[in-house]
């Protein structure tokens, strides 16, 4: 492999905080999908219902996310629309953890989603912009 293949993409160059937050966001998204699968398999009545909800809920969430909220989404709604999709999918993940009987874990997950991921993004976005420009 050449050195060009290992180059950091332009949006990430000089902003390691951005890469860290993107990694946190990806882990949070995967956790939401796992929570939906967990909820579906615990909620569905009978094996067929458990399988349908356990697979169907995260698949539907992933499809909606991919269509509207992913970096390479097929449809690009305004920022508010993207934030609504993210809030609904991640909120469903938080609710799923609560619904399977783990309220403390749901609160923790919600805090990670809102405070850590969103907070880091906002904090570091402000750091990247000079004070005179804010």
């Amino acid at each position: 492999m050449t050195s060009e293949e290992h180059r950091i993409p332009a949006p990430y160059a000089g902003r390691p905080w951005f890469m860290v937050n993107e990694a946190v966001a990806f882990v949070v998204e995967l956790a939401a999908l796992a929570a939906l699968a967990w909820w579906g398999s615990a909620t569905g009545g009978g094996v067929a219902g458990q399988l349908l909800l356990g697979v169907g809920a995260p698949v539907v969430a992933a499809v909606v996310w991919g269509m509207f909220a992913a970096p390479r989404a097929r449809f690009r709604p305004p920022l508010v629309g993207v934030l609504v999709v993210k809030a609904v999918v991640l909120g469903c993940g938080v609710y799923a953890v609560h619904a399977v009987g783990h309220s403390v874990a749901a609160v923790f997950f919600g805090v990670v989603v809102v405070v850590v991921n969103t907070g880091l993004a906002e904090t570091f976005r402000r750091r990247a912009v000079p004070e005179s420009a804010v």
Side-chain angles (χ1 to χ4, degrees):
M1 287 191 186
T2 66
S3 61
E4 286 184 24
E5 293 176 20
H6 294 289
R7 243 187 316 168
I8 296 173
Y12 306 118
R15 301 189 310 170
W17 54 266
F18 187 79
M19 291 182 355
V20 169
N21 194 55
E22 289 297 303
V24 170
F26 183 65
V27 170
V28 165
E29 293 158 16
L30 290 178
L33 295 177
L36 288 168
W38 182 17
W39 167 82
S41 64
T43 302
V47 175
Q50 290 174 336
L51 193 58
L52 184 64
L53 284 175
V55 173
V59 166
V60 168
V63 167
V64 169
W65 189 281
M67 289 177 64
F68 300 104
R72 294 185 181 144
R74 181 174 179 107
F75 304 102
R76 293 304 302 173
L79 179 60
V80 171
V82 173
L83 294 176
V84 167
V85 169
K86 288 183 176 190
V88 167
V89 171
L90 297 176
C92 285
V94 171
Y95 175 75
V97 174
H98 169 72
V100 294
H102 295 280
S103 299
V104 174
V107 169
F108 176 77
F109 184 45
V111 167
V112 169
V113 167
V114 174
V115 176
V116 175
N117 188 245
T118 307
L120 282 175
E122 183 62 22
T123 298
F124 291 125
R125 182 187 69 79
R126 290 183 184 271
R127 272 194 196 164
V129 178
E131 288 293 324
S132 61
V134 175

